């Protein structure tokens, strides 16, 4: 039925021919035409469309055969070019996508094929856009759906991936062990440093305490002109030591001596010194020590016994010249 008008839907454009020649492009809406003379020859949709690119074999740079398929998104931009520049634009675009994909795959190696998928998509889209521009078609994007290597290659890739995972696991484990050893060493180092600092602080405090004690003693001695307190204290210690030796020891060891340097002479000298200090001291501590004569009398009595036993043993000791004289007197028990 020949009508004098043509209804064009939205996002579509029709090509009108008059007497077999291009006349005009019919836009969406109602368009008038002359029946029998004007004929709508081509109808194009300007919506974004998609076509599947069939599976095809491609050979990589390292001579590995792959099967690849993809998806192409395109859109019409010029109805006149799409009608008269190429006979079947959709088929031409699909074949161009296949050839472009094979060319790009041949430029890279197998190991990089999966890593470079995004770059492959971008390069194929650019190639298709340059060629399809003269056809009035714009390639929006291209996506590789699947890459299928041969079975033996797939098995080798799986083993390689597994070995790579094992390698990373071993490296991470060794790194963890190394870090653990470093942490332990750092902890021991910090502990040793803290202990050394503590020992140094302790030694410093002890040294300061000793210095303070010596300064106190020095001040005390310097304030006592006659050093009566110091002499008294030293004499007390001397007599206490002699008392313990004569009370508890069973064997008395005397160095070789003669005259006034014998043990009895030394003890007598100590007693005389003690009496002299106590009698000449006017302190309360000296008076109290002088009043308590039990320790003094005890030492004096043992001294007399020691002198008597010493005189008897000198006759037998004179026969030999020992380095030390050993006196074993029952009176000393």
């Amino acid at each position: 039925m020949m009508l004098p008008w043509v209804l064009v839907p939205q996002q579509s454009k029709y090509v009108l021919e008059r007497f077999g020649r291009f006349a005009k492009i019919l836009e969406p809406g109602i368009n008038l035409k002359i029946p029998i003379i004007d004929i709508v020859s081509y109808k194009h949709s300007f919506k974004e469309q998609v076509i599947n690119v069939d599976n095809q074999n491609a050979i990589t740079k390292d001579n590995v055969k792959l099967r690849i398929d993809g998806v192409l998104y395109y859109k019409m931009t010029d109805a006149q070019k799409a009608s008269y520049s190429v006979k079947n634009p959709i088929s031409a675009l699909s074949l161009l996508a296949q050839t472009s994909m094979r060319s790009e795959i041949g430029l890279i190696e197998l190991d990089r094929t999966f890593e470079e998928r995004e770059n492959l998509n971008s390069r194929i889209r650019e190639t298709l856009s340059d060629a399809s521009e003269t056809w009035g078609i714009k390639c929006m994007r291209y996506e590789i759906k699947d890459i299928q290597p041969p079975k033996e290659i797939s098995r080798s890739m799986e083993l390689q991936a597994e070995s790579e995972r094992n390698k990373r696991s071993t490296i991470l484990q060794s790194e963890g062990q190394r870090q653990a050893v470093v942490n332990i060493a750092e902890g021991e180092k910090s502990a040793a440093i803290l202990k050394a600092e503590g020992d140094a602080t302790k030694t410093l405090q002890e040294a300061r305490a000793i210095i303070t004690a010596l300064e106190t003693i020095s001040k005390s001695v310097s304030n006592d002109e006659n050093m009566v307190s110091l002499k008294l204290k030293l004499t007390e210690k001397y007599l206490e030591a002699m008392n313990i030796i004569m009370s508890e020891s069973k064997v008395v060891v005397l160095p070789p001596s003669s005259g006034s340097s014998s043990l009895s002479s030394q003890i007598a000298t100590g007693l005389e010194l003690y009496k002299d200090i106590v009698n000449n001291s006017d302190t309360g501590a000296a008076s109290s020590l002088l009043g308590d004569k039990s320790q003094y009398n005890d030492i004096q009595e043992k001294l007399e016994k020691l002198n008597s036993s010493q005189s008897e043993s000198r006759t037998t000791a004179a026969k030999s010249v020992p380095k030390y004289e050993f006196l074993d007197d029952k009176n000393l028990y």
Side-chain angles (χ1 to χ4, degrees):
M1 183 178 180
M2 297 296 180
L3 298 176
W5 49 271
V6 177
L7 181 62
V8 180
Q10 182 66 33
Q11 292 289 35
S12 297
K13 290 183 180 182
Y14 292 172
V15 176
L16 184 66
E17 292 181 350
R18 182 172 294 174
F19 298 112
R21 297 180 62 183
F22 172 76
K24 64 177 180 179
I25 301 296
L26 301 181
E27 300 292 336
I30 297 178
N31 296 270
L32 298 177
K33 71 179 182 67
I34 300 175
I36 300 175
I37 297 176
D38 294 337
I39 299 175
V40 176
S41 300
Y42 300 99
K43 298 179 180 180
H44 299 289
S45 174
F46 277 69
K47 297 178 182 179
E48 186 173 345
Q49 302 179 59
V50 58
I51 58 174
N52 290 321
V53 180
D54 296 335
N55 289 336
Q56 58 180 326
N57 293 326
I59 299 177
T60 62
K61 188 176 181 180
D62 50 353
N63 297 324
V64 178
K65 184 182 291 187
L66 302 176
R67 289 192 62 82
I68 302 178
D69 59 356
V71 178
L72 175 63
Y73 297 84
Y74 70 95
K75 184 178 181 181
M76 293 289 182
T77 58
D78 192 326
Q80 185 178 359
K81 290 182 179 180
S83 301
Y84 300 106
S85 296
V86 61
K87 183 176 182 179
N88 191 342
I90 306 303
S91 177
L93 192 62
S94 176
L95 293 175
L96 181 60
Q98 292 179 357
T99 57
S100 299
M101 184 164 48
R102 282 196 296 267
S103 299
E104 294 296 334
I105 290 295
L107 298 177
I108 59 177
E109 297 179 354
L110 176 64
D111 294 338
R112 296 179 53 198
T113 302
F114 299 93
E115 301 175 1
E116 298 288 335
R117 176 176 292 190
E118 189 65 27
N119 294 332
L120 282 173
N121 294 335
S122 178
R123 290 198 296 268
I124 293 172
R125 184 189 62 80
E126 292 176 358
T127 303
L128 293 175
S129 297
D130 294 339
S132 63
E133 186 177 359
T134 59
W135 301 340
I137 300 174
K138 180 180 180 181
C139 294
M140 306 302 295
R141 58 187 177 275
Y142 181 86
E143 298 291 339
I144 296 176
K145 289 198 304 183
D146 190 18
I147 300 177
Q148 298 178 355
K151 293 183 179 180
E152 58 274 10
I153 300 298
S154 299
R155 179 58 181 167
S156 300
M157 294 175 65
E158 291 176 0
L159 293 176
Q160 182 179 0
E162 184 178 358
S163 63
E164 188 67 24
R165 287 192 296 269
N166 294 334
K167 174 184 175 181
R168 288 198 297 267
S169 175
T170 304
I171 292 174
L172 291 176
Q173 185 177 3
S174 63
E175 288 289 336
Q177 293 176 354
R178 184 180 69 86
Q179 190 62 37
V181 172
V182 170
N183 292 339
I184 293 174
E186 289 290 339
E188 293 177 352
K189 175 183 175 182
S190 300
I193 292 174
L194 293 177
K195 185 177 182 301
E197 291 178 354
D199 294 341
T201 304
K202 178 182 177 182
T203 304
L204 182 60
Q205 294 295 335
E206 291 177 351
R208 288 177 178 174
I210 293 173
I211 292 173
T212 303
L214 293 175
E215 289 177 352
T216 305
I217 295 172
S218 177
K219 290 179 181 179
S220 176
V221 172
S222 62
N223 293 333
D224 191 356
E225 296 180 355
N226 297 324
M227 294 189 294
V228 176
S229 300
L230 182 60
K231 292 178 180 179
L232 183 61
K233 189 65 177 177
L234 294 175
T235 305
E236 289 177 2
K237 294 295 182 180
Y238 179 77
L239 293 176
E240 289 177 2
M242 291 297 101
N243 187 22
I244 293 173
I245 291 173
M246 291 185 292
S247 299
E248 299 180 0
S249 300
K250 297 182 179 180
V251 178
V252 178
V253 181
L254 297 176
S257 59
S258 62
S260 61
S261 61
S262 63
L263 178 61
S264 59
S265 300
Q266 293 176 5
I267 296 175
T269 303
L271 292 174
E272 293 298 330
L273 178 60
Y274 182 77
K275 288 195 298 178
D276 181 65
I277 293 172
V278 172
N279 292 331
N280 295 332
S281 176
D282 55 355
T283 59
S287 301
S288 61
L289 287 171
L290 184 59
D292 186 6
K293 297 182 179 180
S294 58
Q295 184 179 9
Y296 174 78
N297 294 333
D298 187 23
I299 295 174
Q300 184 67 32
E301 181 181 354
K302 291 179 180 180
L303 178 61
E304 293 176 356
K305 293 180 180 180
L306 180 60
N307 287 332
S308 60
S309 60
Q310 185 178 4
S311 60
E312 295 176 357
S313 61
R314 277 178 184 158
T315 57
T316 56
K319 297 178 181 180
S320 60
V321 187
K323 188 176 180 180
Y324 293 95
E325 296 179 359
F326 297 88
L327 302 181
D328 188 3
D329 195 345
K330 296 181 179 180
N331 296 327
L332 297 178
Y333 283 52

